[in-house]
Every structure is written in structure tokens, then in C-alpha cells.
Amino acid sequence: MSKRFAEAIEDLARGIGAGSFRSEAEISQGVIKRVLHELGWPVFNVQVVAPEFRIGTRKVDYALCHPAGKPSVLVEVKDLGKADGRGQKQLFEYCFHQGVPIAVLTDGREWSFFLPSGQGSYEERRFARLDFIDDDSSHAAETCERYLNFDRVKSGEARQRAERDYEAFRRQKEAASNYAAVWSRLLGGPDPLLLDLFSEEVGNETGVRPEPESAARFIRNQARAAVASQGKPKRTRTKRRKVAPVPAKVGRGDPPSFTFRGETETFKSGAEVLVAVFDKLASLDPDFCRRYSEQHRGKVRRYVAKSRDLLYPGRHRPASASHRLPGGWWLATHCSNPGKVKRIMKACEVAGLKFGRDVIVHIPVGSRQGETA
């Protein structure tokens, strides 16, 4: 992903926010063509970037073709705020007649990517969405590159990635449908790992680890309250979420791993993943450790500190329970695997990164694998 493309998206976002593109035609010429040009498409070759491409008695705004005259991607352009369900229906009718692998619906600001050959409703076939104004420009550029880069479309790589990401998103949605039942079961037990994590966090905050039965009773009460509240649903308006490409699902038996902006490394333990994430973020930003130390700490201990003694005050821990970070800071590595994931999520907040997109980690939480002694 080029820095120039991200800067072009920032420029377009400013123009969209200022109202510089007032019609579908202005969006098509000023936004869509510029994006396609940045992605390597020969925008003046009407056999490759075909405007008003005719499909039967209908026309789609752009057909991105390879070979010339054969659409690989269809792009339907709408006025700002009009890239809605009606636009999706129209776009899918084009795809049905043409058999196009990837479809894009956009109003210049919001971009939705669909796999027409997928299953279910139009919404269920959408595998990625981005917003030029709300989303980070680097993420927006990376997403467009992933599915619309000229060379990747020609080689078939864009189609393969779209199919993989759609399937991963579909599996994630299927998994999400079981969240409530699994969560209720974990709380009702409660699960030993959940109880251990809760007790550990209480100990970090207060310096006193709760009695197991007391902590378990509290968790069970929370579960009962949650179940009771489900019987009295409140009518609320939900804000539409923007969905980023979902990484391929990681198998339960796969080794711990850390993916940073597409580059993946595997490790022997969850502690090594924790160290790798903090090493990476501290090396990219000299002020990261200071900000993390100030924003995320327990009442009696630090997770990142200038002195190793502040990590486990009043407790003896071996040298392996801490790690020296760039800039002379120290990281506490002794915590449960769910605790490691939680600290990595907090690190992403401090660094201004999106957990699950810019930073992806796999640390087994079904066992204590990788926990420092």
C-alpha cells in the first residue's frame, strides 16, 4: 500500500466533507476515477475501465475489465447517502446477468464490497465496508488495494482474497450467533479460566485476591441478572458498524501468533506474543511505554514501568516474569492468557491501532499454554 494513495484518500475525504462533490457525476469523475487511477487502472482506456457499461437493457456505472471488454469488477456509483438497499438490488441484478466476481457499491464516501456468488441476502454477501471520512486512511487504502488493485484483479489474486474474506466473515457471523449461549454457560459455571482472570484483575486493582467461592458467586449473580434483563428488551437504535476484512480463522491447535498489518510471526507461547506486540509498538513510538504506563495500571502495581520492582510490588517473581522494552521500560509478562489478550487490546488503544485489524493475535485461552511461571 503506497503512502501516496493514503494521502489521496485523505484529500478526497476533505473534499467530501467540504461538499465539493455535489452530484453522482461529480463523485464519479472526481472520486471514483481518481481512486481507480491510484490503483493502477488505465482510466482513459474505455475497453478496460468501461463507463456506462451496458448489461442487457441496463447500464452499470463502471465495469473494470480483464481482458478488455470482460468485466471482473462492477462499480455502481450513487449520490452521497444513497448507497443503500435499493442500490444493492440494482447492482446484484447487473452481476446476475454478467457473472462478475466482485461488486462495489459506493457514494464516494462509503464503499461496500460484495461477493455476488455468496449465499444469503445482499447484506450477507458483503464482506467488507469502509468510510473515507471515518476510517483511517491507511486502512481504507489497504482495503481498496486488496480488492481493486489493477494487477491483483488481472492475476486473480483480488478474487481469491475476496472469496477467502467472505468465507471468513461468514464463519465469524455463524460463531457470533452462539455468543450468548456460550457466555451464559461460562458465567453460570463459572469457567475456571474466567474465574481466574476475574480474581487476578481484582487482585491487580486492590492488592487482595478474592476468595474463589465469593468471586464465583458474584459471577453467577451477574449471569442471572443478564438472563433476567433479556426478558425485558429495550428499544434502542443501533449504530451501523463498518466491517473490515476478517482474517482467516485460526485453528484451536495452531501455535500462538502475532500479525501486524499483514505480516505474521508464530511463537512458542502466549508470553512471547505479548512481548512481541509491546516490542513492536515501543519501537515504532518512543512515547508508547510512557502513555501505556499512565493510562493502564492497577492500584498497587504497574504492567509497564521504568523499574522492574514496580511490576510486582511485594511479590517475588523470577526474571522470566518481566521483559525489558526499548527505552529502558519493563513489561510484566506473568498473567493468564486472557489477561495477555486484554493488555494487548489496551496497547492497541494507546497506539491508535485497531485490534483485530492492524494487530491480530492468537493466544490459546482454553489452557494456560504460554503463561510465564
Side-chain angles (χ1 to χ4, degrees):
M1 186 273 297
S2 70
K3 182 180 179 181
R4 190 184 76 172
F5 185 27
E7 291 173 346
I9 289 178
E10 290 177 1
D11 183 51
L12 288 171
R14 286 191 292 269
I16 293 169
S20 300
F21 307 102
R22 295 165 293 179
S23 68
E24 182 180 315
E26 290 181 355
I27 293 168
S28 181
Q29 294 296 315
V31 180
I32 311 306
K33 273 196 170 181
R34 183 174 177 185
V35 168
L36 294 177
H37 172 71
E38 293 288 345
L39 291 169
W41 289 90
V43 294
F44 300 113
N45 185 339
V46 296
Q47 298 301 312
V48 178
V49 180
E52 296 296 311
F53 187 81
R54 184 173 293 279
I55 300 176
T57 60
R58 302 173 180 272
K59 292 181 180 179
V60 65
D61 291 304
Y62 289 102
L64 308 183
C65 302
H66 180 74
K70 181 175 176 57
S72 294
V73 181
L74 293 184
V75 181
E76 182 69 6
V77 184
K78 297 296 181 184
D79 284 329
L80 279 172
K82 298 293 181 63
D84 52 14
R86 184 175 179 180
Q88 294 175 15
K89 182 176 184 295
Q90 185 178 6
L91 180 60
F92 272 82
E93 287 176 351
Y94 298 148
C95 294
F96 176 78
H97 289 290
Q98 200 69 25
V100 178
I102 299 175
V104 180
L105 178 65
T106 179
D107 62 1
R109 172 179 174 170
E110 292 191 2
W111 295 65
S112 292
F113 297 81
F114 299 90
L115 188 74
S117 62
Q119 302 174 356
S121 66
Y122 305 141
E123 288 291 330
E124 289 172 331
R125 293 187 232 185
R126 173 165 48 198
F127 58 86
R129 176 192 281 169
L130 59 87
D131 187 310
F132 274 8
I133 293 180
D134 290 345
D135 289 352
D136 176 76
S137 61
S138 296
H139 165 61
E142 183 181 346
T143 301
C144 289
E145 286 271 10
R146 187 175 182 86
Y147 309 118
L148 295 180
N149 175 273
F150 182 42
D151 290 333
R152 290 177 179 174
V153 171
K154 286 197 301 181
S155 68
E157 180 185 350
R159 176 176 186 168
Q160 293 170 3
R161 289 187 173 192
E163 290 172 346
R164 287 199 304 266
D165 291 345
Y166 160 78
E167 183 60 25
F169 178 68
R170 188 189 65 78
R171 292 199 305 265
Q172 289 288 337
K173 187 172 182 180
E174 181 180 348
S177 66
N178 291 287
Y179 283 177
V182 173
W183 183 238
S184 179
R185 187 166 66 249
L186 287 174
L187 291 178
D191 180 87
L193 269 179
L194 178 63
L195 178 60
D196 183 62
L197 175 60
F198 177 77
S199 299
E200 179 180 307
E201 290 300 317
V202 171
N204 289 338
E205 288 295 319
T206 66
V208 179
R209 192 177 179 92
E211 291 291 336
E213 182 52 40
S214 172
R217 185 165 55 252
F218 173 81
I219 293 173
R220 285 194 294 268
N221 288 339
Q222 295 302 304
R224 294 191 192 100
V227 171
S229 66
Q230 289 177 0
K232 301 177 181 179
K234 295 182 180 180
R235 297 184 63 182
T236 57
R237 296 184 64 183
T238 57
K239 187 176 180 181
R240 186 174 60 183
R241 295 180 59 200
K242 297 174 178 60
V243 182
V246 180
K249 188 175 181 181
V250 181
R252 188 178 183 88
D254 289 344
S257 63
F258 166 37
T259 302
F260 184 70
R261 291 174 175 166
E263 297 294 327
T264 301
E265 294 182 72
T266 58
F267 300 90
K268 295 179 180 179
S269 68
E272 289 185 2
V273 174
L274 180 71
V275 166
V277 172
F278 275 78
D279 272 341
K280 171 67 75 174
L281 300 184
S283 64
L284 291 175
D285 180 1
D287 198 41
F288 165 76
C289 290
R290 181 193 63 79
R291 297 201 312 277
Y292 188 95
S293 179
E294 291 178 353
Q295 296 178 31
H296 301 291
R297 64 175 75 172
K299 289 185 177 180
V300 297
R301 60 170 295 198
R302 305 281 185 92
Y303 310 132
V304 172
K306 267 291 187 181
S307 169
R308 180 189 283 178
D309 294 336
L310 295 176
L311 300 179
Y312 307 102
R315 305 181 192 177
H316 172 71
R317 293 291 182 192
S320 59
S322 59
H323 171 78
R324 190 175 181 84
L325 296 169
W329 292 84
W330 288 90
L331 169 69
T333 59
H334 179 79
C335 60
S336 64
N337 283 344
K340 293 181 179 70
V341 175
K342 182 177 179 181
R343 292 181 194 179
I344 291 171
M345 293 174 69
K346 296 294 186 183
C348 289
E349 291 180 12
V350 173
L353 299 171
K354 184 72 173 178
F355 181 79
R357 184 186 73 196
D358 302 314
V359 173
I360 303 168
V361 298
H362 170 56
I363 299 178
V365 296
S367 70
R368 301 189 69 86
Q369 176 187 352
E371 186 165 333
T372 308

